[in-house]
Amino acid sequence: MQQIVLPIKDSQMLKQVLECLHDDFRYGPRNYTIFQVGKATLLRVSDVLKLKKDDVYDEKGRVKKNAFIIDQKTQKRNTLYLKPVTNDLAAYRRWLAEFQIDHPQLKVYQSKWLFPSFERPDQHDS
């Protein structure tokens, strides 16, 4: 059965979705940032989830201007312009560091993945 997926065109509805993603889930800032990165870069969710921290952060932890990836489906090289999500990615990194302090048993901050699985931090969610 094929699902029909339609874009969110109503700005008020988009605002509600973003608030829900950010505030109504345990890992809300993570979910919110995944959505924002996907929206800004037009990547498929599978490609967003495969981003590594060193794809988007430099060695000092600052958000890079661009990320360079290979699209999973088309195998094409893709340059991602990160300026629209710089603040979101910086806020997410801070949240992840704070989360790690509060949950030292989960090694999510040390994971190479930008959006690590909270159940298996050595892997990304898929």
Side-chain angles (χ1 to χ4, degrees):
M1 176 185 229
Q2 184 177 0
Q3 287 184 315
I4 297 175
V5 180
L6 300 172
I8 301 170
K9 294 183 178 180
D10 181 306
S11 61
Q12 193 61 28
M13 179 61 72
L14 179 60
K15 182 179 177 189
Q16 289 175 344
V17 167
L18 291 172
E19 287 174 357
C20 178
L21 284 171
H22 193 277
D23 300 332
D24 294 348
F25 294 94
R26 180 175 183 194
Y27 308 126
R30 176 184 180 273
N31 299 340
Y32 172 86
T33 308
I34 290 169
F35 186 89
Q36 290 293 76
V37 169
K39 188 175 74 167
T41 61
L42 302 177
L43 288 176
R44 293 173 188 84
V45 169
S46 59
D47 287 321
V48 172
L49 292 177
K50 289 186 178 172
L51 289 171
K52 295 179 182 169
K53 288 180 182 160
D54 62 3
D55 291 332
V56 299
Y57 301 114
D58 67 16
E59 56 282 340
K60 293 184 180 180
R62 297 177 298 214
V63 178
K64 295 178 180 178
K65 292 181 182 182
N66 298 307
F68 304 96
I69 65 153
I70 296 177
D71 185 279
Q72 178 183 342
K73 184 176 179 182
T74 64
Q75 297 301 307
K76 292 181 181 176
R77 294 185 184 273
N78 198 349
T79 301
L80 309 178
Y81 183 59
L82 298 175
K83 185 170 182 165
V85 288
T86 297
N87 292 338
D88 294 323
L89 287 165
Y92 169 69
R93 185 176 175 93
R94 287 189 302 274
W95 173 81
L96 196 60
E98 291 170 12
F99 183 92
Q100 183 66 70
I101 291 168
D102 293 341
H103 303 87
Q105 72 282 9
L106 297 175
K107 303 298 183 197
V108 291
Y109 192 77
Q110 293 87 350
S111 175
K112 69 179 180 180
W113 301 105
L114 180 59
F115 301 110
S117 165
F118 280 73
E119 294 174 5
R120 298 174 318 275
D122 59 324
Q123 300 177 17
H124 58 80
D125 277 339
S126 44

